[in-house]
C-alpha cells in the first residue's frame, strides 16, 4: 500500500533526523503499541512504588522525615499521573490502563515487590531505587515521543530530591550509633542486587533471555542506551557514594578497573528477577491486593464527584479566575 | 463511553509577564476540581501563579498532522523577514 508506505516514510524521516513524534502524527502500529506498553508500565511502577514507602509514613523517626516522605510519595503519585496522561495521547483510556494493571496483563517494576523492613530501607530506596530510576530516566527526556519526553523532564527534576533525601537519611544513620550503622548496612545488603536488576535482563546474546525490546526501541529513539550500559553507569555513580556513607556494597567482585575506566561488579540474579516479575516475589500479592482495594474503596468518591458535576453542569457555567 | 471523568488540558502561567503554557492534561469531574487537581499535579514547587483548564474536547486543532500544506503558504514569503533586505553597512540602526 503506497499510502501507508508514504506515512511510514514521514515517520522515519522524523526519527532519522532525531525529531519528535507528536500524538496526531502517523506512526507504525508497533511503535504505538510499544510506547503504550512502556509508558503504562512506567506509570504503574510509579503508583505501586508509593506502597513500600507509604508503609513508613506513620513511623518516620521525626516530623521532618515524615514531611519529606509524604512529599516524596505524593511526587510518585504525580509521576504516575504525568505518565498515564502521556500514554492516553496515544488513544488508550485511563480506565483501560488501570484495568490492565489490576488484571495483571501489564507489569510494574519488580523492585516494588520487595518489603521495607526497617527505616533504613526508606533511605536505601531513595538512594538506590530512585538513583537507578534517574539513570534509566534521564536518557528518556530525549525519547522520540514528545509527550513521554516532556513528562520525563518534569519527573527527572523531581527525582533528584528523592535521591538526595534518601542518601541524607542513610548518612544520618551511618553517623549514628553502631546499631544504626548496622541497620543502614543491612538495608544496602538487601536492596543492592534488586536495584541492579531494575535495569532488566543483560544484553549479551549468550544469555538465554535477552533484552528483547531493546534493539527495536533503540532504532525508534525510545531507548538510548542498553540495559547493561545503564547498569554500568549506575554502579559507576553509586560505588563512590557508598564510600562516602562508609557502607560496603555486598559484592566481592566490585573494584575499579583502570583499563575499562569503569567499576567491575557482579550481575544480579536474573532468574530471581524473572521469578519476581512473573509474580513470585515477596510482596506481589500484597501490592496488587492493596492497589485493587484502594481503587474499589475510592469508587464512591469518583461517583459522588461525577453526580455533583452533572447536577451543577446545567445550573451555571463555572467561572474560573485567570 | 465509560463513566471516566472528562479530560482537561492544563495551562500554567509561570510568573507575571509570561503567557500561560500547556503543561499536560488530567481527568476531573468539573472545572473547579480540574483547577484544584492541576494545582496538586502541576504546581507542587511554585511552578505557577495562574492556571487555566480547558476541556480537551473543546480544542480545535489546525490539521490531523502537524506538517502538511496548511502552513506552506508562509514558506515562500521570505520577504516577510528583515534579513531578506540588503542595506549598506554604513546605514545604522536598520
Ligand atoms: Fe518517580
Ligand atoms: Fe522517585
Amino acid at each position: 500500500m503506497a499510502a501507508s508506505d508514504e506515512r511510514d516514510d514521514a515517520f522515519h524521516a522524523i526519527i532519522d533526523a532525531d525529531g519528535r513524534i507528536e500524538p496526531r502524527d502517523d506512526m507504525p502500529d508497533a511503535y504505538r503499541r510499544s510506547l503504550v506498553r512502556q509508558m503504562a508500565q512506567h506509570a504503574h511502577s510509579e503508583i505501586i512504588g508509593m506502597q513500600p514507602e507509604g508503609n513508613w509514613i506513620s513511623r518516620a523517626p521525626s516530623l521532618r522525615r515524615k514531611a519529606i516522605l509524604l512529599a516524596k510519595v505524593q511526587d510518585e503519585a504525580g509521576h504516575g499521573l504525568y505518565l498515564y496522561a502521556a500514554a492516553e495521547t496515544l488513544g488508550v483510556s485511563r480506565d483501560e490502563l488501570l484495568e490492565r494493571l489490576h488484571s495483571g496483563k501489564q507489569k510494574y517494576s519488580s523492585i516494588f515487590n520487595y518489603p521495607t523492613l526497617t527505616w533504613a530501607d526508606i533511605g536505601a530506596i531513595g538512594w538506590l531505587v530512585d538513583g537507578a530510576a534517574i539513570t534509566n530516566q534521564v536518557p528518556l527526556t530525549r525519547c522520540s515521543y514528545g509527550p513521554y519526553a516532556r513528562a520525563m523532564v518534569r519527573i527527572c527534576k523531581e527525582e533528584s530530591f528523592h535521591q538526595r533525601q534518601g542518601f541524607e537519611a542513610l548518612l544520618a544513620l551511618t553517623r549514628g550509633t553502631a546499631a544504626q550503622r548496622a541497620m543502614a548496612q543491612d538495608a544496602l545488603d538487601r536492596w543492592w542486587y534488586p536495584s541492579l536488576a531494575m535495569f532488566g535482563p543483560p544484553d549479551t546474546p549468550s544469555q538465554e533471555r535477552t533484552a528483547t525490546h531493546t534493539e527495536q526501541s533503540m532504532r525508534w529513539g525510545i531507548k538510548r542506551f542498553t540495559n547493561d550500559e545503564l547498569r554500568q553507569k549506575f554502579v559507576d555513580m553509586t560505588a563512590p557514594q557508598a564510600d562516602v556513607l562508609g557502607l560496603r556494597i555486598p559484592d566481592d567482585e566490585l573494584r575499579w578497573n583502570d583499563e575499562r575506566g569503569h567499576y567491575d561488579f557482579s550481575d544480579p540474579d536474573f532468574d530471581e528477577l524473572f521469578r519476581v516479575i512473573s509474580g513470585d516475589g515477596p510482596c506481589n500479592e500484597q501490592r496488587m491486593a492493596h492497589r485493587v482495594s484502594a481503587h474499589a474503596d475510592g469508587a464512591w468518591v469518583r461517583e459522588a464527584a461525577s453526580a455533583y458535576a452533572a447536577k451543577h453542569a446545567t445550573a451555571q457555567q463555572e467561572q474560573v479566575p485567570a | 463511553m465509560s463513566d471516566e471523568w472528562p479530560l482537561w488540558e492544563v495551562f500554567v502561567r509561570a510568573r507575571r509577564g509570561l503567557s500561560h503554557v500547556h503543561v499536560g492534561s488530567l481527568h476531573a469531574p468539573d472545572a473547579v476540581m480540574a483547577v484544584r487537581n492541576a494545582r496538586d499535579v502541576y504546581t507542587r514547587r511554585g511552578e505557577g501563579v495562574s492556571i487555566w483548564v480547558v476541556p480537551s474536547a473543546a480544542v480545535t486543532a489546525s490539521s490531523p498532522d502537524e506538517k502538511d500544506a496548511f502552513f506552506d503558504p508562509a514558506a515562500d514569503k521570505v520577504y516577510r523577514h528583515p534579513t531578506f533586505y540588503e542595506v549598506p553597512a554604513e546605514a545604522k540602526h536598520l
Side-chain angles (χ1 to χ4, degrees):
Chain A
M1 281 200 312
S4 90
D5 285 352
E6 235 169 73
R7 286 202 295 268
D8 276 2
D9 286 350
F11 169 84
H12 288 296
I14 293 173
I15 294 288
D16 291 346
D18 200 19
R20 296 293 174 265
I21 304 296
E22 294 296 341
R24 296 177 307 153
D25 287 337
D26 286 313
M27 61 188 90
D29 276 349
Y31 176 82
R32 182 186 299 272
R33 269 198 312 276
S34 174
L35 270 172
V36 168
R37 193 199 62 244
Q38 183 173 335
M39 282 192 277
Q41 285 182 184
H42 197 161
H44 300 333
S45 301
E46 299 284 353
I47 65 165
I48 296 287
M50 292 192 284
Q51 290 186 39
E53 291 181 289
N55 178 32
W56 278 89
I57 288 174
S58 63
R59 292 176 290 162
S62 69
L63 194 55
R64 177 176 180 270
R65 295 287 174 199
K66 185 171 182 155
I68 291 169
L69 189 54
L70 267 171
K72 180 182 189 291
V73 171
Q74 190 187 14
D75 272 354
E76 304 301 1
H79 297 176
L81 291 174
Y82 308 152
L83 287 163
Y84 282 127
E88 286 173 83
T89 62
L90 289 172
V92 61
S93 80
R94 179 77 57 94
D95 283 351
E96 202 176 334
L97 293 172
L98 287 179
E99 194 279 323
R100 288 181 199 172
L101 169 64
H102 296 167
S103 65
K105 267 181 244 147
Q106 283 178 339
K107 307 290 184 199
Y108 53 87
S109 176
S110 59
I111 193 79
F112 301 118
N113 289 316
Y114 291 88
T116 39
L117 303 178
T118 72
W119 169 252
D121 287 19
I122 299 306
I125 287 182
W127 174 40
L128 298 174
V129 176
D130 289 85
I134 291 170
T135 308
N136 261 327
Q137 289 169 351
V138 167
L140 284 172
T141 61
R142 294 185 292 123
C143 160
S144 63
Y145 188 57
Y148 194 22
R150 292 191 286 275
M152 293 319 304
V153 169
R154 299 187 69 86
I155 289 176
C156 284
K157 276 187 199 158
E158 300 181 351
E159 290 295 355
S160 140
F161 136 62
H162 297 180
Q163 192 188 20
R164 285 174 71 106
Q165 65 81 35
F167 186 87
E168 194 212 61
L170 278 183
L171 192 64
L173 292 175
T174 57
R175 290 180 176 173
T177 64
Q180 287 171 327
R181 271 196 300 281
M183 188 196 275
Q185 182 63 55
D186 168 65
L188 173 55
D189 290 347
R190 282 180 291 109
W191 287 94
W192 175 252
Y193 284 108
S195 299
L196 291 189
M198 284 175 70
F199 297 95
D203 307 335
T204 42
S206 60
Q207 296 279 344
E208 214 172 280
R209 303 184 181 95
T210 54
T212 44
H213 301 296
T214 294
E215 214 177 301
Q216 182 61 67
S217 284
M218 289 182 85
R219 269 202 301 273
W220 278 331
I222 298 174
K223 217 172 147 77
R224 302 280 177 177
F225 299 97
T226 69
N227 294 354
D228 282 336
E229 285 168 347
L230 291 168
R231 203 172 352 254
Q232 180 73 61
K233 255 182 212 276
F234 174 73
V235 174
D236 290 348
M237 172 182 82
T238 311
Q241 295 169 349
D243 293 339
V244 176
L245 288 171
L247 295 177
R248 185 190 164 274
I249 288 173
D251 179 0
D252 292 334
E253 308 297 315
L254 185 87
R255 66 180 58 86
W256 179 255
N257 182 327
D258 237 348
E259 223 166 277
R260 293 201 310 125
H262 293 290
Y263 280 88
D264 291 335
F265 63 97
S266 358
D267 271 334
D269 178 353
F270 290 113
D271 290 331
E272 176 179 320
L273 171 66
F274 285 100
R275 273 200 310 278
V276 176
I277 287 177
S278 64
D280 200 17
C283 298
N284 296 55
E285 271 176 49
Q286 184 189 333
R287 300 287 185 242
M288 282 310 294
H290 184 80
R291 172 63 214 152
V292 170
S293 74
H295 191 67
D297 292 349
W300 71 270
V301 179
R302 294 190 294 277
E303 284 159 20
S306 294
Y308 180 86
K311 194 169 138 192
H312 286 263
T314 44
Q316 64 171 68
Q317 192 77 18
E318 308 269 14
Q319 291 297 311
V320 180
Chain B
M1 195 42 211
S2 74
D3 51 2
E4 207 172 79
W5 287 344
L7 195 64
W8 302 78
E9 299 303 323
V10 181
F11 300 78
V12 171
R13 184 199 295 289
R15 55 174 200 274
R16 293 179 174 278
L18 298 179
S19 319
H20 287 77
V21 172
H22 184 246
V23 293
S25 51
L26 51 74
H27 290 274
D30 58 32
V32 172
M33 286 305 293
V35 170
R36 281 171 184 268
N37 290 352
R39 180 199 58 187
D40 292 346
V41 177
Y42 291 107
T43 62
R44 286 195 301 283
R45 289 174 174 79
E47 291 95 333
V49 294
S50 164
I51 295 173
W52 287 349
V53 294
V54 178
S56 305
V59 174
T60 304
S62 52
S63 59
D65 48 38
E66 300 184 350
K67 59 184 184 308
D68 70 354
F70 190 73
F71 296 102
D72 284 357
D76 59 356
K77 296 180 178 59
V78 284
Y79 46 84
R80 283 174 172 167
H81 298 278
T83 47
F84 178 73
Y85 302 93
E86 273 181 45
V87 297
E90 58 270 29
K92 299 295 183 195
H93 307 299
L94 267 170

